[in-house]
Amino acid sequence: MAYDPKQFTVTAGRPVVIDLINPDTMEHNLVVAAPGKLADVGIDAAMLGDAGGPNRDFIPDSPNVLHYTQMLQPGETASLQFIAPADPGDYPFVC
């Protein structure tokens, strides 16, 4: 899934609100990962496979997953709200 915007900047320790709108014809969610851990989160999510993955919205139980939305059906929206981490860095986000 392509996000718009592709990146954004927030102030450490301040509230963040990300509105996710799913315009696609399939389910999507939003996962915010720890810096440098996007590949690990992807591997952990893939390991869920058919073993309960859909029931967990393919969110692995991992300290590398910092914030996430539930899986959104086509046309659904969700707001993800959290406090920005105190540590500066690039925090990747992905479906």
Side-chain angles (χ1 to χ4, degrees):
M1 179 171 184
Y3 293 107
D4 179 23
K6 296 183 185 319
Q7 63 182 12
F8 55 93
T9 302
V10 298
T11 302
R14 301 286 297 167
V16 176
V17 177
I18 302 172
D19 292 323
L20 177 62
I21 302 165
N22 181 6
D24 203 354
T25 58
M26 59 187 293
E27 297 177 317
H28 290 286
N29 63 358
L30 176 77
V31 176
V32 179
K37 299 298 182 181
L38 183 59
D40 294 341
V41 168
I43 290 168
D44 291 345
M47 295 299 286
L48 290 173
D50 292 330
N55 294 333
R56 295 179 49 197
D57 291 331
F58 292 98
I59 306 297
D61 183 16
S62 166
N64 296 321
V65 173
L66 303 181
H67 308 284
Y68 59 90
T69 67
Q70 77 280 1
M71 198 67 76
L72 299 181
Q73 297 297 319
E76 287 187 323
T77 64
S79 285
L80 181 59
Q81 301 178 25
F82 57 93
I83 301 298
D87 296 329
D90 291 332
Y91 290 79
F93 55 98
V94 68
C95 174

